[in-house]
Structure formats: structure tokens, C-alpha cells
Amino acid sequence: AQSVAQPEDQVNVAEGNPLTVKCTYSVSGNPYLFWYVQYPNRGLQFLLKYITGDNLVKGSYGFEAEFNKSQTSFHLKKPSALVSDSALYFCASKLNDYKLSFGAGTTVTVRA
Amino acid sequence: DTGVSQNPRHKITKRGQNVTFRCDPISEHNRLYWYRQTLGQGPEFLTYFQNEAQLEKSRLLSDRFSAERPKGSFSTLEIQRTEQGDSAMYLCASSEGSTTNEKLFFGSGTQLSVL
């Protein structure tokens, strides 16, 4: 079975500083990993995915994620955070052709 | 608006009542999903439709839950004899193309409160 864990409930950073949201996975086989973001009163939005290939994946809104097989991690990163990046972030892995398993989420607060 | 639409946005009901939620996916999407999200948790898979066929149903779904997608367009999720434990945000998502690297489009959800 595949699952993900987000070890931090909350991440607080100052605007302009680097932002990292952590995710680790436990997988049998090749992992399919995703990041989604949930803004207040809005549905989850797809940010990026890792299927195979380059370990550094670029996504929407200037976000990127680094797949690290030895550390079984898939951390989400942004070089310079914006106040508008404040949201709830979910890491997810694909259990089969149609089922995603989400982490518990990390609340990101970017202060001006 | 061409996104996934869910109605109602909020539903308050008394324990024991039946409720029904509706999801209108993006029109060209053939796959439709229902997820449930409780406070402090990530979304949990409930069920999946490929066109009008319901191909998978989570063990989380008791016999009180039923979902339909007639004609492969909109979908409804019905909960019979609601319980307080059913209180959650019910999310609908749709997608198309390859299932390997699919991108889900989520609606804003229906927040259910069972009193």
C-alpha cells in the first residue's frame, strides 16, 4: 500500500523567504506523487506531480518539488514565498489507477 | 464558470434525516470522484465513476451511502439516516485522459453538519 505523511501541521515563514513543506512516502513499487493546495472557501487545486523522470518537478505558481528516493521524500519548495501562498497544502500518492491517498495537510502562513 | 460545481455549499440536518448532494463535473470529463474531508485530515476516497459506471466504492461507505451518475454526467451522493459522524466536507472531483498522471479538478465541496 502507498501512503504519505506530512510531519508538520503548520509552517510559518516571512514573505520573501524560502518555503518548504515536507512530505514523506511509503511505497511498494514506483511512486506517483502529487501536491495539491486548498485556499479558503475554494476547492483543492493541483500544483504538480511526479511520475518518473527528473527528480525536480516544476509546478504552478512558482512551486517545485524534489523527489528523493533514498530519503523517501517529496518536499514542496518555493524560493521566495508570497503572502498569497498562505493556504493548506496536501501531499498525495496514487494507490491505484484512480485512488489518491492524501496526507493530513500542512497549513502555511506567510507573514508580510 | 466551467469548473466542478457542487450543491448545496452547506447543509445542516438533524440526525436520522436523509440528505442528497449534487456534483456537476467539467463537461468533457469522463471520470468522477467523491472524497470526504474532516477537520485536520486530508480527503479520503469514497467512490469513483468511469462515465456512468461506479467502479470502486470505499469501505468507508456504509450501506447508508449511495452514489449515482446517470448518463455519465452529473452525480448525486445520498446519505440515509444521517449520523453525527457523517458531519464532514464532501468533495467531488473530475478528470479526463490517462489515469497514470491525471490531474483532478475539485469542486468547493458541500459542508454537512448533522445535529
Side-chain angles (χ1 to χ4, degrees), chain B:
Chain B
D1 184 17
T2 58
V4 177
S5 177
Q6 290 189 247
N7 288 289
R9 292 293 302 274
H10 304 275
K11 179 69 177 179
I12 301 174
T13 191
K14 292 182 179 180
R15 188 176 54 187
Q17 298 295 306
N18 299 343
V19 295
T20 300
F21 311 140
R22 177 178 170 124
C23 171
D24 288 274
I26 295 172
S27 60
E28 62 269 26
H29 286 185
N30 58 344
R31 290 195 294 280
L32 187 145
Y33 305 79
W34 285 98
Y35 281 79
R36 181 171 66 187
Q37 184 178 12
T38 53
L39 197 62
Q41 298 297 320
E44 296 175 295
F45 172 85
L46 292 180
T47 191
Y48 160 67
F49 290 86
Q50 174 92 21
N51 298 312
E52 67 275 10
Q54 187 176 18
L55 298 184
E56 178 75 8
K57 188 175 176 180
S58 168
R59 286 174 291 177
L60 292 174
L61 253 59
S62 72
D63 292 341
R64 296 184 296 105
F65 288 72
S66 62
E68 297 181 341
R69 193 184 182 197
K71 302 178 182 178
S73 56
F74 71 92
S75 176
T76 58
L77 178 66
E78 180 184 15
I79 309 174
Q80 296 181 327
R81 305 181 303 280
T82 53
E83 301 173 356
Q84 289 184 329
D86 297 331
S87 296
M89 176 74 82
Y90 289 84
L91 301 171
C92 177
S94 68
S95 69
E96 61 171 348
S98 167
T99 56
T100 301
N101 60 355
E102 71 178 327
K103 171 181 174 180
L104 295 187
F105 293 81
F106 282 85
S108 297
T110 294
Q111 180 67 54
L112 173 65
S113 297
V114 182
L115 304 179

Side-chain angles (χ1 to χ4, degrees), chain A:
Chain A
Q2 305 189 22
S3 66
V4 294
Q6 295 180 243
E8 299 168 319
D9 292 336
Q10 292 190 354
V11 170
N12 298 302
V13 297
E15 188 172 34
N17 282 2
L19 170 62
T20 299
V21 187
K22 297 179 180 178
C23 173
T24 59
Y25 65 89
S26 59
V27 169
S28 54
N30 294 321
Y32 295 168
L33 300 168
F34 303 79
W35 276 101
Y36 281 81
V37 60
Q38 188 173 35
Y39 297 102
N41 300 316
R42 295 180 64 180
L44 280 83
Q45 295 180 32
F46 171 88
L47 278 179
L48 50 80
K49 65 178 183 284
Y50 172 83
I51 307 297
T52 59
D54 291 339
N55 290 340
L56 188 62
V57 179
K58 294 189 182 298
S60 307
Y61 312 122
F63 283 93
E64 58 187 26
E66 184 175 7
F67 174 72
N68 188 316
K69 190 172 183 178
S70 62
Q71 297 184 5
T72 62
S73 66
F74 188 58
H75 299 335
L76 181 70
K77 300 180 180 182
K78 187 169 184 179
S80 178
L82 302 172
V83 172
S84 58
D85 293 327
S86 298
L88 183 55
Y89 290 79
F90 290 99
C91 181
S93 67
K94 197 146 202 186
L95 297 180
N96 55 27
D97 274 352
Y98 44 79
K99 189 183 298 185
L100 284 177
S101 174
F102 286 87
T106 299
T107 299
V108 170
T109 302
V110 182
R111 58 186 185 277

